[in-house]
Amino acid sequence: MALFPLTTCSGCENAILDLWIDIEETLKNIEITYAPILMDSEEPKNVDVGLVIGSIRTSEDLNKLFRWRDKSKTLVAFGSCACYGGLPGLINNFNISKVIIDIYKKSIEYESPHSLPKLMEHIKPAPSMVKIDFMVPGCPPPKMLIPKFLNAITYGHEFSLPTKNLCMECPLNTSSEKNISEIRRFSLNIMEQNKCFIEQGIICLGPVTRCGCEAKCIKSNTPCRGCLGPTLEVDESAMKFISSLASSLSLTDIDIKDLNRIKDLVGFLYRFTYPSSKINLMEEKK
Amino acid sequence: MVNLSKETIKFQPKIIGFLCNWCGYAAADLAGNLRRNYPVNIRIIRVMCSGRVDPINILNAFLSGADGVLIIGCHPGDCHYLNGNYKAQRKVHLLKQLFNEVGFEPLRLHIDWASAGEGDRLSKIIKNFTLNILKLGPNLMRCN
């Protein structure tokens, strides 16, 4: 097995390392031949299982991805960056050259032979560039999912991601009718304990997010951000969420202009999945 | 009376109209009976309630090349299903906010109300919306 990092924060690799004790048995049957975070080694000629981690930000990332697809019998997109584009994908909403000039006050020079690899104009998710055999989403993939997955590929079991949404695992799920009377920003001061976030008017993406993490964020008093991405059958989960939110608002207490209080809809609805979304295709060519 | 025929104007906007069965669509029928003219650029889709229109339908319409999407529901308080039109209004508002953030012109999406007896009003709404879309130009976004 190899851990193939692209442009990554190393959170996914750390998630595997964190589980070292738990997956000790499984690891006895796995030989990690390449993992830049763990060891200095040359790229292997081929591997049985390659875990692609991170998003495709530069042309070098793309070349690596093509090369590693050829070297791996099974290629796995590990983590939301590899599966959907991830958090860095939010920059697809802007022109990357303008962003560079904004930050560094001058553009990147690509002419010299020792220069940096070229930035891709848009981050595209790995499944859209090469054939991916498995997807293990999450930012990072939850510790309940990783051992299941590693056992599956080691011993040849069937592996499939859970198909239900997070509300199925959520301890705050009361199955009661939602009637939101005020849209509120998430803050530890004004929250009611043991009450569904959406009922309190706090945006929680649980209804449109795949389960599998046993609602660990909810259990830490934080609304879901949707890091495991959408469930399989839904076309565009953000649209479903808009529909669900709009239909759950109180008729008497909420006015249309209250909706303007939600400042960053793209960030809320597409935090981890923007590059793989349909709305990312919307770009009026000027 | 603006001449929107193919001879005078090259860009013919494609407008998708979601008209609710009880009010909007009935108004369109009445407009026809009264011979109230409105531009033929609109493709009318009958839905039982404006609240049935899912944001994904609107997004898919724009991704397929529609230049404008118009939703006509019952007047607030008059919805055949009590509050479907309110839900539609809120969905459209959130969607327009989202379009604004991604750089897509939110004016291409419009929701309005017309009761079953307002054939005249409906033809005016459609006419004005078509002219607005004409001003905005074609939808240049491509769908993969």
Side-chain angles (χ1 to χ4, degrees):
Chain A
M1 184 166 92
L3 267 55
F4 289 133
L6 300 174
T7 295
T8 173
C9 72
S10 306
C12 294
E13 292 111 305
N14 274 303
I16 299 179
L17 291 178
D18 275 346
L19 292 174
W20 209 258
I21 309 288
D22 296 340
I23 54 177
E24 212 175 335
E25 262 315 304
T26 317
L27 282 179
K28 294 203 177 104
N29 297 307
I30 297 180
E31 186 200 349
I32 299 184
T33 53
Y34 180 74
I37 197 178
L38 290 176
M39 60 221 217
D40 261 337
S41 68
E42 265 191 40
E43 261 190 45
K45 292 224 169 45
N46 37 49
V47 287
D48 293 320
V49 178
L51 301 185
V52 167
I53 297 169
S55 43
I56 310 170
R57 181 72 267 186
T58 64
S59 56
E60 187 185 337
D61 289 334
L62 190 59
N63 290 334
K64 283 182 187 170
L65 182 63
F66 288 144
R67 189 168 72 234
W68 292 334
R69 171 68 269 188
D70 288 335
K71 291 188 178 186
S72 315
K73 256 201 230 131
T74 307
L75 196 64
V76 180
F78 195 79
S80 286
C81 281
C83 297
Y84 305 118
L87 202 65
L90 284 175
I91 211 167
N92 282 359
N93 214 11
F94 304 90
N95 182 319
I96 189 67
S97 320
K98 290 209 183 88
V99 169
I100 296 289
I101 295 177
D102 247 350
I103 299 174
Y104 298 107
K105 302 297 179 252
K106 57 178 186 168
S107 49
I108 304 178
E109 289 159 12
Y110 290 115
E111 285 78 42
S112 81
H114 305 293
S115 66
L116 304 162
K118 204 160 200 295
L119 285 175
M120 304 289 287
E121 213 181 302
H122 288 121
I123 292 185
K124 295 262 184 341
S128 72
M129 306 304 276
V130 294
K131 179 171 184 297
I132 296 285
D133 301 304
F134 286 110
M135 282 199 349
V136 185
C139 184
K143 61 188 283 187
M144 308 82 193
L145 218 53
I146 297 179
K148 253 205 284 180
F149 167 70
L150 288 177
N151 282 333
I153 54 168
T154 313
Y155 305 119
H157 301 159
E158 270 293 311
F159 175 76
S160 59
L161 294 168
T163 52
K164 300 262 197 301
N165 70 358
L166 191 69
C167 297
M168 297 294 147
E169 285 183 342
C170 179
L172 305 177
N173 187 3
T174 53
S175 302
S176 59
E177 179 105 10
K178 309 281 178 271
N179 198 2
I180 303 169
S181 55
E182 190 194 351
I183 296 179
R184 286 165 24 184
R185 194 187 190 115
F186 169 59
S187 146
L188 289 169
N189 307 342
I190 52 176
M191 226 172 51
E192 272 181 64
Q193 298 266 2
N194 301 321
K195 189 170 180 198
C196 170
F197 285 109
I198 297 182
E199 273 177 43
Q200 300 181 53
I202 296 169
I203 294 185
C204 169
L205 290 187
V208 294
T209 305
R210 199 191 286 268
C211 68
C213 56
E214 290 174 16
K216 59 180 173 170
C217 292
I218 313 292
K219 290 175 183 161
S220 311
N221 292 322
T222 308
C224 172
R225 284 175 157 191
C227 75
L228 251 80
T231 49
L232 197 62
E233 281 98 17
V234 174
D235 214 355
E236 177 98 333
S237 58
M239 297 290 123
K240 285 292 179 191
F241 190 78
I242 288 180
S243 182
S244 163
L245 181 67
S247 308
S248 310
L249 296 169
S250 156
L251 291 176
T252 46
D253 300 330
I254 296 270
D255 196 53
I256 274 287
K257 53 178 161 45
D258 290 335
L259 295 174
N260 297 330
R261 298 180 61 208
I262 309 175
K263 288 302 171 193
D264 180 16
L265 270 175
V266 171
F268 266 121
L269 302 172
Y270 293 106
R271 186 179 245 109
F272 300 93
T273 57
Y274 195 53
S276 64
S277 69
K278 272 186 164 178
I279 209 167
N280 195 203
L281 301 170
M282 287 191 130
E283 212 206 332
E284 291 214 66
K285 305 216 170 12
K286 292 185 173 65
Chain B
M1 173 71 156
V2 178
N3 187 355
L4 290 176
S5 64
K6 288 202 184 79
E7 288 86 48
T8 45
I9 295 178
K10 192 155 181 287
F11 161 52
Q12 290 290 328
K14 285 195 196 68
I15 296 177
I16 306 292
F18 293 102
L19 270 54
C20 89
N21 178 63
W22 305 100
C23 289
Y25 198 77
D29 270 344
L30 185 60
N33 282 335
L34 296 174
R35 303 286 184 262
R36 292 280 179 269
N37 287 324
Y38 57 80
V40 299
N41 303 77
I42 185 165
R43 281 86 158 140
I44 294 179
I45 298 172
R46 181 181 70 123
V47 291
M48 291 314 287
C49 178
S50 52
R52 185 260 175 272
V53 181
D54 195 314
I56 189 65
N57 301 130
I58 303 171
L59 181 66
N60 281 337
F62 283 124
L63 287 174
S64 307
D67 301 301
V69 170
L70 180 64
I71 301 173
I72 306 289
C74 307
H75 282 279
D78 288 345
C79 178
H80 188 82
Y81 304 100
L82 306 182
N83 51 23
N85 51 0
Y86 287 107
K87 296 181 182 182
Q89 188 190 35
R90 283 133 196 235
K91 284 178 208 180
V92 164
H93 191 90
L94 283 171
L95 204 52
K96 276 154 96 79
Q97 258 178 264
L98 188 59
F99 284 163
N100 200 13
E101 283 186 31
V102 300
F104 186 73
E105 179 56 69
L107 290 175
R108 291 187 185 274
L109 173 60
H110 184 59
I111 186 167
D112 217 324
W113 323 115
S115 78
E118 292 181 313
D120 203 21
R121 176 182 155 85
L122 182 70
S123 76
K124 285 207 184 77
I125 292 173
I126 295 176
K127 208 178 300 184
N128 286 336
F129 186 63
T130 311
L131 286 175
N132 286 341
I133 298 295
L134 204 62
K135 270 188 231 138
L136 289 172
N139 173 8
L140 297 169
M141 174 194 68
R142 293 285 169 268
C143 163
N144 288 342

